[in-house]
Amino acid sequence: MVASLGELQEELKKRKPRDRACLVVIAGQNVGEMYRIEGPETVVGRASNANVRLSDDGISRRHARIVQEGAILFIEDLNSANGTVVNGATISRQALQDGDKIRLGPTTILKFEYQDEIEEDFRQKMYDAALRDGLTKAYNKKFFLDRLETELAYAKRHKADLSLVLFDVDHFKRVNDTYGHLAGDAVLVKLAKLTQSALRQEDVFARYGGEEFAVICRGVKLAQAGVLGERLRAGVEGAVFEYEAQRLPVTISVGVAAFPNSPVETTTQLIGCSDEALYEAKRCGRNRVLLKQT
């Protein structure tokens, strides 16, 4: 049921001053993620400058926006291709109530709610625990595999480019054996930070195995992904890795594959192509990038 503006204003008076408005993704690629609503306008869409950026099928570049008028927040559809639906009804503009469910496109559902700092912190920790690797804070393997499935299906359906970059630490066992496992952990943590700083917002960075990492690059051709792989390799080679005042020798080997260059049908096949390139990079001497050409 849609409340009147008077009813909404009365409800808002009951809220604690530190309650914060936010959107929580409850269905779609970014499920579990939470976005705080701040400022006079919050744009939701696929565009790189959207405040809430969602890349699911059916989302327009500027799909909808949330604007504040006084104490009340309104959602407005921005002439999106697939419309904005609030609690089952298609809207052009509507005041938002705590608990409203907003559907954008066929698969993405957001929940609008107010949270205090404690609730917000708790939800973020639960989200991180479910989807991220505890040590490096990269996405975990399950999230990576689920997302790669979605991205490959999208690429096949839209005849789009999709690249997968796999890399791991050269002679990582030697680092652990020589300097200890805590030193090895420190290497992985710094490596993850270096990698994350070199990626686009839409790239998906995950820890695939012990010292092996993966980057999913939507809309990126094989050669471009190779450039990214080289940037990562050179960045690691040029970085200083230290643990307890000891400098650690760290380099990475990188394997890159892409659809449709490799006409794969499954994510297992795409991972296999990247893994073949990674193995070849190691076989050829390590600390290099190799591309899977077919």
Side-chain angles (χ1 to χ4, degrees):
M1 184 177 72
V2 178
S4 69
L5 293 183
E7 290 171 328
L8 276 174
Q9 289 168 339
E10 287 302 313
E11 178 64 26
L12 288 167
K13 289 178 183 178
K14 301 175 185 177
R15 300 206 171 280
K16 293 176 286 186
R18 290 197 293 179
D19 280 353
R20 299 165 174 175
C22 61
L23 294 172
V24 180
V25 183
I26 60 175
Q29 289 184 18
N30 299 69
V31 64
E33 286 197 16
M34 180 176 61
Y35 302 90
R36 191 183 302 171
I37 303 203
E38 298 176 305
E41 178 184 84
T42 300
V43 175
V44 183
R46 296 174 62 95
S48 60
N49 61 349
N51 305 101
V52 177
R53 192 173 184 188
L54 303 170
S55 56
D56 306 46
D57 275 2
I59 303 287
S60 297
R61 289 183 57 76
R62 287 173 53 89
H63 196 107
R65 69 172 185 164
I66 295 174
V67 294
Q68 184 164 358
E69 297 182 7
I72 299 176
L73 292 168
F74 291 83
I75 185 166
E76 300 175 349
D77 183 74
L78 297 176
N79 296 315
S80 64
N82 293 299
T84 299
V85 177
V86 178
N87 300 328
T90 301
I91 61 94
S92 57
R93 173 181 164 94
Q94 182 170 307
L96 286 169
Q97 297 175 254
D98 192 14
D100 278 349
K101 294 182 176 61
I102 304 163
R103 181 165 61 79
L104 310 173
T107 61
T108 307
I109 301 175
L110 311 175
K111 184 179 181 183
F112 174 79
E113 57 185 44
Y114 289 92
Q115 296 181 356
D116 62 23
E117 292 178 27
I118 296 174
E119 291 170 328
E120 185 178 4
D121 184 60
F122 174 75
R123 184 184 286 273
Q124 188 62 50
K125 287 178 178 176
M126 292 296 289
Y127 172 77
D128 288 344
L131 300 180
R132 293 192 180 272
D133 171 59
L135 177 66
T136 64
K137 308 309 176 186
Y139 284 113
N140 60 28
K141 185 175 182 178
K142 182 183 184 306
F143 181 91
F144 162 73
L145 293 174
D146 289 346
R147 185 61 176 267
L148 187 60
E149 190 84 37
T150 301
E151 294 291 351
L152 181 58
Y154 178 93
K156 290 165 66 177
R157 190 162 56 249
H158 295 276
K159 296 181 173 53
D161 294 294
L162 176 67
S163 291
L164 177 61
V165 179
L166 285 184
F167 65 91
D168 69 10
V169 181
D170 297 326
H171 302 297
F172 187 66
K173 184 177 185 301
R174 187 183 301 170
V175 173
N176 280 332
D177 291 345
T178 304
Y179 304 99
H181 287 276
L182 291 179
D185 286 350
V187 166
L188 297 180
V189 170
K190 179 160 185 175
L191 178 60
K193 288 180 180 177
L194 286 171
T195 302
Q196 194 66 66
S197 67
L199 301 180
R200 306 173 304 168
Q201 182 180 352
E202 59 266 40
D203 295 331
V204 178
F205 172 53
R207 186 179 181 186
Y208 185 63
E211 73 274 19
E212 190 169 10
F213 294 87
V215 183
I216 304 171
C217 304
R218 172 188 271 199
V220 173
K221 296 181 182 296
L222 181 65
Q224 294 172 300
V227 172
L228 170 62
E230 176 57 25
R231 187 161 69 243
L232 295 177
R233 186 209 64 77
V236 171
E237 184 181 40
V240 175
F241 289 80
E242 289 184 328
Y243 181 74
E244 294 186 342
Q246 294 186 90
R247 185 157 181 171
L248 311 177
V250 179
T251 59
I252 60 172
S253 296
V254 186
V256 184
F259 175 87
N261 296 71
S262 297
V264 299
E265 290 296 326
T266 67
T267 56
T268 300
Q269 291 171 341
L270 183 57
I271 293 169
C273 289
S274 295
D275 204 43
E276 284 179 30
L278 174 56
Y279 175 80
E280 188 65 14
K282 287 185 170 294
R283 193 186 69 80
C284 291
R286 295 181 168 84
N287 190 25
R288 65 194 63 215
V289 180
L290 283 182
L291 281 55
K292 178 71 173 176
Q293 295 294 343
T294 56

